[in-house]
Structure formats: structure tokens, C-alpha cells
Amino acid sequence: LLDNARSVKDAVRDLIEKRFADPAFCADTLARELFMSRRHLYRHFDAEDATPARLIAARRLARARELLAEETPVPLQQIALRSGYVSASTLRSRFRAEYDLSPREYRDIVAAQRAAGMVCSGLVNHGHPVEDEVTKVRSPRSDGIRLDE
């Protein structure tokens, strides 16, 4: 059993990284795998702006952004499945809610930046478009906890 708040958060990050692509993976699954109740799991995040569910969502969106930024376009349904969404429709709505852009608009911005030489080797900032005055790409909401620490 994990009792230390830091080790719980580390375990949460590790499990999210390993399992985020499974659409059935959720905070309840996370709690079960850590042998604690959902409420107990969430208590470890009371002082944070993030919740386990929000961390899972952020990781899925980050993966979708990486795949959308690839030079060779991947069908949106395939990106959705590889990012932990059950459908392209779900990905589209979650993506737009988070970034105020559709996946297609995001892909077009990355392609335009690549063509303008703003994206080195096809990817900058792990595949995310460079924020500038032209694109006005909104940063995702702050989670309070970074998955890449």
C-alpha cells in the first residue's frame, strides 16, 4: 500500500503513462490498482489544481497533439484510439473544449508552421505548435502537476 502522498502521486503518473491509451482506464481503475478508494485517491490531490481524472485527460490530449503533429497524417479515428478515446467524435469535442481548436485546425497550424520553417525536424515542444501572435494557440489548462517531471 502506498501511504506517502508523493509516492502516490508518482504511482499515479506512472500508471497514467502506462495505461492512458486504454479508453476504459479512469480514476476508478487507478484507485483499484493502487488498492485505495476513489475518495482516498482524490484526497492526495486536494492541495493541487489537478485530479486523477484531469491528469488522465491531459495525457490523452497530449498524445493526440503529438500524433496530430506528425508529418504523415494519421486518420483521426486512429489517433483517437491511440490516445485513449473511443471515437474521433469524442476526441474532437474534448480537443476543442481544451484548446479552442478542432484537431483539423491544429493539424493545419502545425503544417503551416512546418512549411514556414517554424517547426524543426517536424516537431517543436513535443509536437505542439509554437505559440506566437499569428497562431494564438491556447495552452492547455494548468493541471498543477506535470506529467513529464
Side-chain angles (χ1 to χ4, degrees), residues 51-72:
T51 64
R54 181 70 191 122
L55 293 173
I56 293 167
R59 182 61 185 99
R60 287 177 174 156
L61 285 169
R63 180 63 177 148
R65 284 177 68 163
E66 291 167 8
L67 294 170
L68 286 165
E70 289 183 354
E71 281 193 66
T72 305

Side-chain angles (χ1 to χ4, degrees), residues 81-97:
L81 295 175
R82 290 170 54 190
S83 301
Y85 296 100
V86 294
S87 69
S89 174
T90 302
L91 170 57
R92 257 196 250 33
S93 65
R94 302 275 165 81
F95 199 92
R96 182 172 291 285

Side-chain angles (χ1 to χ4, degrees), residues 61-138:
L61 285 169
R63 180 63 177 148
R65 284 177 68 163
E66 291 167 8
L67 294 170
L68 286 165
E70 289 183 354
E71 281 193 66
T72 305
V74 177
L76 193 59
Q77 180 63 31
Q78 189 175 5
I79 290 172
L81 295 175
R82 290 170 54 190
S83 301
Y85 296 100
V86 294
S87 69
S89 174
T90 302
L91 170 57
R92 257 196 250 33
S93 65
R94 302 275 165 81
F95 199 92
R96 182 172 291 285
E98 186 65 28
Y99 303 114
D100 292 331
L101 293 169
S102 71
R104 177 181 293 280
E105 290 168 329
Y106 180 83
R107 188 180 270 171
D108 291 346
I109 288 168
V110 172
Q113 289 181 346
R114 187 178 292 116
M118 295 173 64
V119 180
C120 303
S121 303
L123 301 176
V124 166
N125 190 19
H126 304 289
H128 313 310
V130 177
E131 292 185 302
D132 62 12
E133 289 301 312
V134 177
T135 61
K136 298 281 188 196
V137 175
R138 189 174 70 113

Side-chain angles (χ1 to χ4, degrees), residues 2 7-22 24-36 41 45 52 55-56 59-60 147:
L2 300 169
S7 65
V8 169
K9 290 177 185 177
D10 288 344
V12 165
R13 283 189 201 95
D14 290 345
L15 281 169
I16 288 171
E17 191 57 37
K18 290 176 188 167
R19 304 272 316 275
F20 76 89
D22 176 1
F25 183 69
C26 63
D28 290 333
T29 307
L30 197 54
R32 274 193 307 277
E33 291 191 18
L34 294 174
F35 304 102
M36 61 180 67
L41 174 63
F45 293 87
L55 293 173
I56 293 167
R59 182 61 185 99
R60 287 177 174 156
L147 291 173

